[in-house]
Each structure stands twice: as C-alpha cells, then as structure tokens.
Amino acid sequence: MSENDTAGPRSADGAEEPPYRAGFACLIGRPNAGKSTLTNALVGEKVAITSSKPQTTRHTIRGIVNAPTSQLVLVDTPGLHKPRTLLGERLNDLVRETLLNVDVVGFCLPSDQRIGPGDQFIARELVELRQARRTPVIALATKSDKVDRQRLAEHLIAIDQLGEWAEIVPCSATRGDQVDIVGQVLAKHLPTSPGPLYPDDVLTDEPMTVMIAELVREAALEGVRDELPHSLAVVVEEMVPREDRPAGKPLMDVRVNVFVERSSQKAIVIGRGGSRLREVGATAREGIEKLLGQRIHLDLHVKVAKDWQRDPKQLQRLGF
C-alpha cells in the first residue's frame, strides 16, 4: 500500500485533515458515579435520568454527540454493583453485554469519594474486557468541582494505581469543566467511518415512551426515603392526542402507571392527601412537555406489584 492510500483527505491549503470517526462509547461506574449527568452534559440535552439516589438508570440510553470530525454515540448503563435481587442480576448482565459491543469505555470514579471495593470490582471486570477485546478504557475523575486541588491530585494518583488506563481525565459535568475534553478523548479512540451513524438532528434513539417513563420516575425519586428507588418502576400505558382540539392548541393525554412493591411505599409516593403525587405530576409534566414540544394532560396512577424485583414474570411485564 502506498503512502497516499493511507493519507486522509486534504484541506484547501494542502494540510491533511483528521479522519472522520464514529462509534459507541460506554460510561461505566458504580451507582451514583455521575454517569447520567456526564451523558447529559456531553450531549447538551437531557437524555438520561439523573437523581441523587443511586441506581436510577435501568435502560441503556444512547446520547449522541456530533462534532465536525466525529460522532460519539454514548451508551449510559446502570451502575455495576453486587446484586441483591433478580433485577440487580439482570442490570449487571445488561452492563456486561453492553461492554462487549462498544469501541471505548469511560470509567467514572467520583472525586469526592475514596476508591473502594465497588471500584476495584469494576476495575477487575475491565481487565477481562481489555484482554478479550482490547477495548481502550479512559478513567474519568468525575465531580472534580466538589474537592480542592490537593484532594483531586490524590484521587488522580489513586486512579493511576488502580489499573492501566489509556488516559485519565478529571471533569465536572455540573460545572462543565473539561466536558469537551472528555468528548474529544473518547472520540479519538473510535474507529474511522465514512460518515455519521445517525442523522445530525438525532440526540438519542431511546423510544419516546421510555424517556417519558424515566422523567416520571426521576420526579418520583426526588425527596423520598432511601428504600424507595429500587422499588419504583414506571410504565407508560398510553399516549393519545385529545380529540376536538383547535388546530393550533393540541393536547396529548398521557396515562402512566407507577409501580411499587408494598402499600407503605404507595402511601409515600402519593403523600398526605395526594400532595406528593401532585408535585411529581407537575415536575414530570414540565419535562414531558419540553420533550414532546406540546401541552399534555398527565394521568398518574400508583399501583402495588408485590415484590416485583424478585418475580421473573413481573420483571418481564415491567420491561426488564
């Protein structure tokens, strides 16, 4: 092969332009490591549910980052963790399956927390991945805005000692620090491509009903007791345009069921006199209307599906 065969296209002034790259990246980390927040910051729009409660992501959400010379398709995963239920086992299987089908991995290690057994567990999994697939892993020191420079330096040293990484990048998704660098570093490790994998105006390929369900679940998770996040599942039952509306004022009826495992949890979600459920509805409706670009009527119902996390039939019915 001659030198010209391997050279990339040249610009008007004769300089060689970098090759176009497109592919899939996976953000991985223990629960609440900042994966979803970083996904949203990279995409520039909200495509992944975020919450202060760990273990909020249950579906792999693809966020798409377009740049002049690359298209980075981000696959956000649940946090890898030691499973206590059948749901937990299925979420871990989902992560491992995702890892085998991406071009580069971003390992999120929050700067405001010491590296612990959970991080070491994931690091061991990634060693096996590198041996099997030679997939590059970028270590990301997330939440860098929450610590001082001395603590961040100590954290970066600890990350370096944890394993072998293609690169280590500190970043803060909430403040926007180095988010563009993270995108560039991940894109650098993608394969060359004749063009983008998705149209320029697409930000995610997640089904609309799943995104609506996630917005409701995010609203329901805020301000509730710690035992509730794992027990909450949301299903969009139907979305129907309201008939006989004026042409310029459409209205969508959205019916959503929120499932919990026990009657006591149902009471928590509904709140005294329905006050909590009204808050959830108002917050979720705002996000859904922004997503759909039109007004909606949100019909929320809370139902008990006893011990659904441990029941294979109920897990399947709820989409897991």
Side-chain angles (χ1 to χ4, degrees):
M1 183 179 285
S2 69
E3 186 179 335
N4 288 339
D5 291 330
T6 58
R10 294 185 180 275
S11 62
D13 61 2
E16 188 176 323
E17 294 181 353
Y20 191 88
R21 297 182 181 276
F24 295 84
C26 174
L27 297 182
I28 191 172
R30 55 187 158 97
N32 211 17
K35 302 179 294 296
S36 296
T37 308
L38 183 54
T39 296
N40 292 335
L42 284 162
V43 175
E45 292 276 348
K46 185 166 186 165
V47 293
I49 178 176
T50 58
S51 170
S52 57
K53 304 289 186 295
Q55 205 54 46
T56 48
T57 303
R58 289 185 184 152
H59 302 271
T60 57
I61 295 178
R62 289 179 168 85
I64 300 168
V65 186
N66 291 299
T69 58
S70 66
Q71 185 179 72
L72 178 67
V73 185
L74 286 165
V75 185
D76 187 36
T77 63
L80 259 179
H81 63 294
K82 193 170 183 178
R84 295 193 300 270
T85 63
L86 180 59
L87 172 64
E89 290 173 16
R90 289 192 179 178
L91 293 178
N92 273 359
D93 289 344
L94 184 66
V95 178
R96 293 188 181 103
E97 185 182 334
T98 302
L99 284 172
L100 292 172
N101 293 288
V102 296
D103 302 299
V104 60
V105 174
F107 181 14
C108 296
L109 298 124
S111 302
D112 61 341
Q113 299 170 41
R114 303 273 175 195
I115 287 173
D119 301 309
Q120 291 160 354
F121 168 73
I122 295 169
R124 287 192 295 271
E125 295 261 337
L126 292 174
V127 167
E128 293 179 19
L129 176 72
R130 284 201 303 274
Q131 289 172 345
R133 298 292 302 270
R134 295 187 178 277
T135 306
V137 180
I138 314 300
L140 303 172
T142 56
K143 308 185 182 183
S144 63
D145 59 305
K146 293 193 172 185
V147 294
D148 59 28
R149 292 177 67 177
Q150 175 66 28
R151 173 72 192 100
L152 181 59
E154 292 169 2
H155 187 59
L156 294 173
I157 291 168
I159 289 174
D160 186 46
Q161 294 171 344
L162 183 62
E164 290 184 29
W165 319 115
E167 299 187 49
I168 302 174
V169 184
C171 61
S172 166
T174 54
R175 205 164 64 186
D177 296 350
Q178 299 231 116
V179 171
D180 55 338
I181 303 297
V182 172
Q184 291 166 20
V185 169
L186 291 172
K188 185 171 72 175
H189 292 276
L190 299 176
T192 56
S193 172
L197 304 173
Y198 292 87
D200 286 347
D201 59 347
V202 174
L203 293 179
T204 179
D205 70 350
E206 192 67 48
M208 193 64 73
T209 53
V210 173
M211 293 183 73
I212 289 170
E214 291 291 88
L215 286 168
V216 172
R217 197 159 69 92
E218 180 179 36
L221 282 174
E222 284 311 308
V224 297
R225 295 178 197 166
D226 291 341
E227 79 268 14
L228 198 54
H230 305 282
S231 304
L232 207 69
V234 180
V235 176
V236 177
E237 289 296 324
E238 63 176 5
M239 295 172 58
V240 184
R242 180 80 60 89
E243 294 181 2
D244 303 324
R245 293 284 296 182
K249 293 186 176 180
L251 183 71
M252 179 80 72
D253 284 307
V254 181
R255 181 182 170 85
V256 177
N257 286 335
V258 178
F259 292 95
V260 292
E261 293 189 295
R262 296 188 296 278
S263 297
S264 58
Q265 295 169 338
K266 181 177 179 178
I268 292 171
V269 175
I270 293 174
R272 188 183 295 274
S275 59
R276 170 112 187 85
L277 190 61
R278 283 194 294 274
E279 284 178 24
V280 171
T283 303
R285 186 171 61 249
E286 187 179 335
I288 296 167
E289 288 183 342
K290 185 179 177 185
L291 180 67
L292 298 179
Q294 69 167 90
R295 285 191 60 214
I296 68 158
H297 171 72
L298 181 59
D299 188 14
L300 280 181
H301 295 266
V302 184
K303 300 185 176 184
V304 176
K306 188 170 168 54
D307 294 330
W308 65 263
Q309 290 187 83
R310 294 171 172 79
D311 184 337
K313 285 184 179 177
Q314 294 204 82
L315 277 174
Q316 188 170 7
R317 188 164 65 88
L318 294 173
F320 299 106

